[in-house]
Amino acid sequence: MSDFPTSPENLTAEWLSEVLGRTIQGFQVNYFSEGSGVIGQVTRIDLQSESGPSSVIAKFPSPVADNRGVAEAYDMYGREVQFYQDIAETLTIRTPACYYAAFEPSSHDFVLLLEDLRDLRIGDQVAGCSLADARAVVDTIAELHAGTWEPTHLDGVMSHNSPMQRDGMIGGFQMGWPVVVDQFGDLIPANAQGAGDAMPAAIGGLLETMCTDPVCFTHADVRLDNIFFGDDEVIFVDWQSICTSAPEQDLAYFLTQSVPPEVRAQEDLVARYHSALRTRGIDYELDRCRERYRLCALYLLSYAVVIAGTLDMG
């Protein structure tokens, strides 16, 4: 049994006071709208206290059994706790302050208390983003990758080319693709239909090629709903999928699934990313960057299919 709260209902003022290091006289749990935090349960805790921030974000396991099962299969809760305990402070990009993190491997229970970024603007994956926002995100991705290029200091971070990832994506795609074709078939162009039919047999080879050096530390879920924008900074949240992989994985996921085609047409954002890497001292060929970007974009069709075809969207 975990010795920390595993749901908002288990929170107490005494526990919050102990882990936050200040007296919490009372608190109120605020639940976000349905669909926010599909893999985990994300809540805002308003605090009655004479010091410190007036609110924190508390993350718990998903109360939906199927979604929690996906998270456990990919060790997503353990990976995010690992990120905040061991990795966040080593990065040059800003991440949310973590006030408390705990994970129980046997049950996959976890809890995170994080900085509330409520004063910043959050992205909207449905609406897409402007070119200015896309540039800012691409530059931040490049900073993350340049600072963790060939990360020998992160031995505990799994490769994206792991049996867990490969088998999970193949199985998830095989389950999700018929659902996606049935529900969204009118949105799937013919060339994507062919790619989807062939994807399960190709996933293993794509992962092996993607995870051939050079690799870097990868967020692996860079989409607008996980991005906050300040006046002069971009902050990524939801570090549940961290791994080492091709640097272009983060870039391709963001550009193909959060940036509208008409915005992508305004600027060569792959070239911008490559230039940002070079500016930060990474010796890397543009042609190789473009080749790997296309490879990652193809593989990441599987992300959309697994999410839309297997998860409970409420």
Side-chain angles (χ1 to χ4, degrees), residues 271-282:
R272 181 185 183 92
Y273 167 80
H274 176 263
S275 177
L277 285 180
R278 295 294 297 268
T279 298
R280 291 168 172 81
I282 302 300

Side-chain angles (χ1 to χ4, degrees), residues 20-91:
L20 293 175
R22 54 192 172 101
T23 301
I24 306 297
Q25 288 92 6
F27 65 94
Q28 178 177 329
V29 178
N30 297 290
Y31 294 87
F32 292 105
S33 61
E34 189 74 26
S36 295
V38 173
I39 293 296
Q41 185 171 24
V42 185
T43 61
R44 170 176 287 128
I45 312 299
D46 286 321
L47 303 169
Q48 300 173 23
S49 178
E50 296 180 357
S51 63
S54 61
S55 62
V56 297
I57 296 298
K59 296 187 68 172
F60 304 93
S62 172
V64 179
D66 288 346
N67 294 5
R68 177 165 179 162
V70 171
E72 292 182 3
Y74 292 98
D75 191 29
M76 297 177 81
Y77 301 151
R79 284 199 265 183
E80 187 161 34
V81 169
Q82 176 193 13
F83 172 78
Y84 282 109
Q85 288 181 335
D86 302 330
I87 300 170
E89 64 181 12
T90 72
L91 303 180

Side-chain angles (χ1 to χ4, degrees), residues 206 248 252 287-300:
L206 289 170
E248 293 80 7
D287 287 347
R288 179 84 190 280
C289 184
R290 291 194 189 280
E291 177 186 1
R292 298 181 89 189
Y293 172 83
R294 290 191 292 268
L295 187 80
C296 291
L298 174 61
Y299 163 74
L300 288 165

Side-chain angles (χ1 to χ4, degrees), residues 149-267:
W149 199 261
E150 298 181 311
T152 57
H153 62 294
L154 298 177
D155 292 337
V157 178
M158 70 174 64
S159 169
H160 199 60
N161 183 28
S162 66
M164 175 185 70
Q165 184 71 31
R166 182 190 64 242
D167 296 346
M169 295 309 292
I170 292 173
F173 197 98
Q174 289 172 329
M175 292 174 56
W177 183 239
V179 177
V180 169
V181 171
D182 178 64
Q183 296 187 358
F184 311 109
D186 59 323
L187 301 176
I188 303 174
N191 59 346
Q193 175 75 52
D197 293 341
M199 182 61 72
I203 285 175
L206 289 170
L207 283 171
E208 184 173 352
T209 305
M210 285 168 55
C211 295
T212 300
D213 288 340
V215 298
C216 65
F217 177 74
T218 307
H219 180 284
D221 198 11
V222 179
R223 55 189 179 86
L224 279 173
D225 290 349
N226 289 337
I227 301 173
F228 285 82
F229 295 89
D231 292 337
D232 58 357
E233 63 184 350
V234 171
I235 303 173
F236 299 153
V237 299
D238 280 1
W239 295 85
Q240 297 178 125
S241 302
I242 61 169
C243 59
T244 59
S245 185
E248 293 80 7
Q249 179 174 336
D250 281 340
L251 180 69
Y253 191 48
F254 173 66
L255 292 185
T256 62
Q257 301 192 32
S258 285
V259 183
E262 61 272 18
V263 173
R264 294 201 305 269
Q266 296 176 44
E267 183 176 330

Side-chain angles (χ1 to χ4, degrees), residues 94-114:
R94 182 184 165 191
T95 61
C98 180
Y99 307 120
Y100 183 80
F103 174 69
E104 172 49 58
S106 62
S107 64
H108 285 264
D109 284 335
F110 85 104
V111 63
L112 286 168
L113 298 183
L114 301 171

